[in-house]
Amino acid sequence: MTQSVLQPVARRCRRLLVTAVVATLTTLVSGCDTPGQPSVLDPTGPAAAQIESLWWLMFWLGLGVFVLVFGLVLYASFRKRTGDPRSPASTPGKWLILFGGFALPIPILAIVVGYNLFVSEAATGPSFAANDAIPDAATSAEWTIDLIGHQFWWEVHYPNQEVVTANEIHIPVGEPVLFRLTSADVIHSFWVPQLHGKLDLIPGQTNRIWIEAEEAGIFRGICAEFCGTQHAMMHLLIIAQPADEFEEWVSEQQQPIAEINDPLLIQGQQVFMGSACVYCHTIQGMNEAAATDTIGPDLTHVASRLTLAAATVENNRGNLGGWILDPHGIKPGVLMPPTRLNSENFRALLFFLESLR
Ligand code: CUA
């Protein structure tokens, strides 16, 4: 009688168990490296390689525990019960509690904590230097980048080279670059999974991190701390280039705006100066005095960037026009207001901005 009542319950438990196993495996598989998305499993720098090794250690240990626990659960579910289930002989032995509760978890947790401490230490400094040789936040290395977080974009300064840009950060391949991070408003977090772990940008504080790319390439970074409506679309690109290409880029970025003779470009420049753009965006050699360049990105070389709107859309005429007329259509909640222009002025402004290479 009791057995016939218990049978449907046991069947339902088994079905639930199978569903749980399938769901867990599906989740594991769907979490694997997705093409086109930055992944910690595709490291291109020494720090990211250390972090990847920690990921795999935790994965294999976790998988071992998962297989063990599910093996025991399956065994308990499917074994034929003999004798009286209430008799003391059928309760799990003390050895299972001692082994499963202490003997097994303690060394596993010790390994994870120990290796985590090792990775944290190894990933802190550049690969070439002893940790005590790392300059503090106030000093700078040859390649130092000041990165300032804003809702919802990244202000980028190369203090030693006097270069200012936004959202796209060029670095030389194979050289550790010192990043000094702070924020102009709320807390953001800098994360380029292929190059390093996460580090917060905190108002009133400077955090530092060394980034090194071992290969040339474009690496997508994201803001990893919720910072407002457009947090999820606060992206950036790290563009790692061979030394000669990088130095060429630096010398181009050091130039102020070139002299303009074309009537359409002159008209575009006048539209820029006569609209709200001028109060938030700086163009070096043109409006440094009028603009507060910490409100919006520096536009001196905007046309040389690959993307617009914090690396969310490709930098082409269509997107540039759409961004100026209706930024909220591309990124709802962004702080840039829409700009109203007649078609002639709009066209001139686009030509002018596209000339800023
Ligand atoms: Cu900035 Cu999230």
Side-chain angles (χ1 to χ4, degrees):
M1 169 70 185
T2 319
Q3 274 221 328
S4 65
V5 171
L6 284 177
Q7 264 172 357
V9 179
R11 262 203 304 273
R12 223 172 295 152
C13 285
R14 276 176 219 160
R15 231 176 286 144
L16 261 174
L17 191 65
V18 171
T19 312
V21 172
V22 171
T24 310
L25 291 176
T26 312
T27 310
L28 274 175
V29 170
S30 66
C32 289
D33 201 4
T34 314
Q37 293 294 319
S39 169
V40 288
L41 302 181
D42 182 22
T44 317
Q50 296 278 1
I51 292 166
E52 188 208 22
S53 67
L54 174 63
W55 193 97
W56 281 111
L57 176 79
M58 290 170 70
F59 173 79
W60 289 118
L61 286 174
L63 188 68
V65 172
F66 174 84
V67 168
L68 181 67
V69 170
F70 266 85
L72 289 173
V73 172
L74 286 174
Y75 169 74
S77 304
F78 289 97
R79 77 177 177 139
K80 285 268 183 295
R81 200 176 269 283
T82 53
D84 183 355
R86 285 159 299 184
S87 81
S90 68
T91 56
K94 245 189 280 174
W95 69 270
L96 187 63
I97 293 170
L98 284 173
F99 177 75
F102 295 97
L104 193 63
I106 287 174
I108 289 178
L109 291 176
I111 291 170
V112 172
V113 170
Y115 195 66
N116 196 356
L117 291 172
F118 165 75
V119 166
S120 303
E121 185 68 11
T124 305
S127 52
F128 71 91
N131 278 350
D132 54 6
I134 299 171
D136 64 28
T139 55
S140 66
E142 184 196 357
W143 297 114
T144 297
I145 291 171
D146 287 325
L147 188 60
I148 303 160
H150 293 263
Q151 287 173 313
F152 302 96
W153 62 284
W154 308 83
E155 183 184 342
V156 184
H157 292 258
Y158 296 68
N160 299 332
Q161 289 73 33
E162 296 190 354
V163 166
V164 184
T165 183
N167 303 323
E168 292 182 12
I169 306 170
H170 290 240
I171 60 170
V173 170
E175 281 196 57
V177 177
L178 176 64
F179 278 64
R180 300 185 297 199
L181 313 182
T182 190
S183 170
D185 37 51
V186 298
I187 297 176
H188 305 267
S189 183
F190 172 66
W191 188 32
V192 187
Q194 284 169 273
L195 297 178
H196 213 306
K198 299 168 186 170
L199 191 65
D200 281 357
L201 299 90
I202 299 170
Q205 182 178 321
T206 303
N207 289 338
R208 61 185 165 74
I209 189 170
W210 288 90
I211 297 281
E212 180 181 342
E214 283 165 341
E215 290 165 27
I218 299 175
F219 307 104
R220 185 167 282 272
I222 50 180
C223 179
E225 178 78 44
F226 180 72
C227 56
T229 320
Q230 267 301 323
H231 151 76
M233 304 278 270
M234 183 170 165
H235 294 204
L236 61 89
L237 299 180
I238 299 259
I239 299 165
Q241 295 174 297
D244 50 343
E245 264 179 50
F246 170 69
E247 276 159 31
E248 195 183 318
W249 175 83
V250 169
S251 64
E252 282 167 9
Q253 299 288 312
Q254 285 169 330
Q255 306 304 315
I257 181 177
E259 205 175 313
I260 291 171
N261 298 312
D262 185 287
L264 191 60
L265 293 183
I266 293 171
Q267 186 189 342
Q269 188 181 30
Q270 285 164 351
V271 172
F272 182 90
M273 294 300 280
S275 67
C277 316
V278 75
Y279 300 114
C280 301
H281 297 284
T282 300
I283 295 176
Q284 305 291 333
M286 204 179 95
N287 73 325
E288 297 99 317
T292 313
D293 64 357
T294 54
I295 295 178
D298 184 290
L299 297 182
T300 315
H301 298 282
V302 65
S304 73
R305 294 183 203 141
L306 301 171
T307 59
L308 296 169
T312 50
V313 292
E314 195 188 328
N315 187 4
N316 58 38
R317 182 174 296 181
N319 286 335
L320 181 62
W323 182 244
I324 293 167
L325 293 179
D326 182 22
H328 294 255
I330 294 176
K331 293 177 70 166
V334 71
L335 301 187
M336 177 164 138
T339 305
R340 306 238 176 277
L341 295 167
N342 65 37
S343 61
E344 196 191 320
N345 284 342
F346 179 55
R347 183 165 160 267
L349 179 64
L350 284 182
F351 269 92
F352 170 64
L353 291 174
E354 284 181 325
S355 76
L356 301 174
R357 296 207 60 83

